Amino acid sequence: QVQLVESGGGLVQPGGSLRLSCAASGSIFSSDIMGWYRQAPGKQRELVATFTNDGRTIYAGSVKGRFALSRDNAKNTMYLQMNGLKPEDTAVYYCNARRLGLGPETGSWGQGTQVTVSS
């Protein structure tokens, strides 16, 4: 079983930056696929950014060019650098880890970290 702990959320003004971290422990493999999802009040959880089975990264259209995904396998940690934050980025951000070839619904989720973008 994989345990995921997110950190780095908070309150930031529009145009500001935050860096989210997701620390993985337990039976995490370097081949596991990790990604970030978010859920705003009254909305469904949506993909923000994820690594893919073939080693690429994909981003939601709404964050492309502003967010950057990275991973440090030595530390079992994934990061999401968020720049140019907008009020519509306000949500709880969740980290997900899944086995290669399987969907995110089959994987593990963190407890979430709140990101609030407001002046």
Side-chain angles (χ1 to χ4, degrees):
Q1 191 170 354
V2 176
Q3 292 79 44
L4 303 171
V5 178
E6 302 100 333
S7 61
L11 173 64
V12 63
Q13 292 186 342
S17 298
L18 284 174
R19 189 195 194 202
L20 304 184
S21 299
C22 173
S25 61
S27 58
I28 185 78
F29 299 149
S30 60
S31 60
D32 285 347
I33 306 301
M34 298 182 72
W36 288 96
Y37 295 74
R38 68 186 181 187
Q39 187 167 19
K43 295 187 177 181
Q44 290 189 329
R45 189 173 298 188
E46 63 177 4
L47 172 69
V48 178
T50 185
F51 294 100
T52 65
N53 292 334
D54 57 358
R56 296 177 296 115
T57 55
I58 58 174
Y59 297 89
S62 60
V63 308
K64 196 174 297 184
R66 300 187 295 122
F67 291 10
L69 186 65
S70 62
R71 178 173 178 175
D72 185 337
N73 282 336
K75 296 182 178 180
N76 286 334
T77 301
M78 176 178 63
Y79 305 96
L80 184 68
Q81 178 66 44
M82 305 187 295
N83 300 323
L85 283 161
K86 304 175 181 180
E88 51 264 42
D89 294 319
T90 296
V92 178
Y93 283 70
Y94 296 92
C95 173
N96 175 267
R98 57 183 171 88
R99 297 304 187 213
L100 182 67
L102 300 181
E105 67 282 357
T106 68
S108 299
W109 295 90
Q111 81 290 348
T113 185
Q114 176 71 48
V115 171
T116 302
V117 185
S118 175
S119 56

